[in-house]
Amino acid sequence: MTATITGSARTRWDALYWREIDDAVGDLDGPVVVLHRAALEANIADLRRRAAGVPIRVASKSLRVRSVIDDILRRDGFAGVLAYDVDEAIWLATASGVTDVLVGYPTARRGSIAALAADEVAAARVTLLVDSVDQLDLIDAAVPASGRPSLRLAIDLDASLVAPVLGHVGVRRSPVHSLDDALGLGRAIVARPGVHLVGVMSYEAQIAGVGDAVGGDWRSGAPLRNRMIRGMQRVSMGELRRRRSTIVGALRELADLEFVNAGGTGSLEVTARDGSVTDIAAGSGFFGGHLFDTYSHFRPAPAVAFGLQVVRRPGPGVVTCHGGGWIASGPPAPDRLPLPVWPPDLAYEPREAAGEVQTPLRGDATDGLSVGDRVWFRHTKSGEIAEHCTEMVVVDHGVIVDRVPTYRGEGKCFL
């Protein structure tokens, strides 16, 4: 039998799915990273449905596989890339021919700015993100305005909620929060030679990046926490929608904005209802890391997983896998660890967890595992997995249909 993906990405992932993947790559040594084509297609369709016609900008940090990025951008409903590094943006704009690449973070790399200014094609396709006049000065220090084409800039608008009781809720990103902040920076850009303002970005991390359906009973506090998260997110999105609309309208009087980017995988539905937004970023939702199992309104398919081989049996009820420390960014906590999913009911040794070279696991299923057998894991977010492998093995209908290089496999290491 072959595991099939039908309807939304909420398909139940059971033994059939993992056995199909395991059988397909049975002759390969581990670690092996698998991209399940049908699951990826389900996620692509689900993201497009949730965006309700608003174009999705592909967040490359969560994929780091150029062929997959290129494939997604050829489809209806997807437009442009949200890159995480200037050198990466130049590479995508030139090697892949992506015509709209927004760098989603400011840079202090003078050499990279100089390289962008020196490449006519890249300079016309790549937009740098700024949130202060200091960053404008750094660009001028890298390449004087008289010696470069006019560089494309976007303002990073802080999307955090500042509440009377809760204080600052969200990530610590841009200092540009108010209308006055945005207009002050916008006017500085418009007045400065060698740059021009083309867009705005705002990432509502407290909405897109926080799950509202964390498991647990009342003793764990999870139900109360989930209700509080949902309430915070409703309030935050209402405040942000009003503030962002006002700021974008005012900036449009200063410059001809080409785009207003916002949101993330976890907020597509609500961000799509903001009329000031022209495209929404999404990345992790394509590969479906287990972090998104804690969201109530969608559930991506686990399109990517990695298999580690058992290399030891230290004792009854314990096996040790080779590798495993593929840990995601963010606050150090168990939810940043890869999740062992097949065989079922395996758990980490609390004092060791996922190790750089070896990962011991406990559970009844260990008694059925021998040296050389494989254990399957799901990554937490997405970007971390591609930094640990040079290729992903594409599986479809129970067989390997392709092997695609990651950024690492193409010799690239941006961060």
Side-chain angles (χ1 to χ4, degrees), residues 79-104:
V81 167
L82 182 69
Y84 63 92
D85 182 77
V86 179
D87 292 335
E88 177 211 17
I90 295 170
W91 183 54
L92 293 175
T94 54
S96 278
V98 182
T99 59
D100 178 6
V101 187
L102 167 61
V103 183

Side-chain angles (χ1 to χ4, degrees), residues 51-204:
V54 179
I56 295 174
R57 184 180 292 270
V58 179
S60 60
K61 78 174 182 64
S62 298
L63 279 73
R64 307 189 194 209
V65 182
R66 191 158 62 99
S67 62
V68 174
I69 295 169
D70 292 346
D71 174 55
I72 293 170
L73 289 177
R74 286 192 288 267
R75 301 167 185 248
D76 291 339
F78 300 92
V81 167
L82 182 69
Y84 63 92
D85 182 77
V86 179
D87 292 335
E88 177 211 17
I90 295 170
W91 183 54
L92 293 175
T94 54
S96 278
V98 182
T99 59
D100 178 6
V101 187
L102 167 61
V103 183
Y105 309 84
T107 185
R109 294 183 176 180
R110 291 177 174 84
S112 298
I113 295 170
L116 175 65
D119 190 311
E120 183 178 345
V121 172
R125 295 176 173 179
V126 173
T127 302
L128 298 176
L129 193 70
V130 296
D131 60 32
S132 72
V133 173
D134 289 344
Q135 292 158 1
L136 303 181
D137 294 339
L138 190 143
I139 291 171
D140 286 343
V143 185
S146 60
R148 67 173 193 249
S150 182
L151 297 180
R152 299 165 53 86
L153 300 185
I155 290 175
D156 190 3
L157 173 64
D158 176 43
S160 299
L161 173 67
V162 180
V165 176
L166 297 176
H168 182 276
V169 181
V171 291
R172 297 286 185 177
R173 287 175 62 108
S174 172
V176 181
H177 186 87
S178 68
L179 175 61
D180 287 345
D181 295 335
L183 284 177
L185 182 56
R187 290 180 181 124
I189 295 171
V190 170
R192 184 168 295 220
V195 292
H196 58 291
L197 180 61
V198 299
V200 175
M201 174 188 166
S202 57
Y203 172 49
E204 47 265 37

Side-chain angles (χ1 to χ4, degrees), residues 16 34 46 72 107 187 198 329 398 400:
L16 182 62
V34 164
D46 200 50
I72 293 170
T107 185
R187 290 180 181 124
V198 299
S329 62
I400 296 173

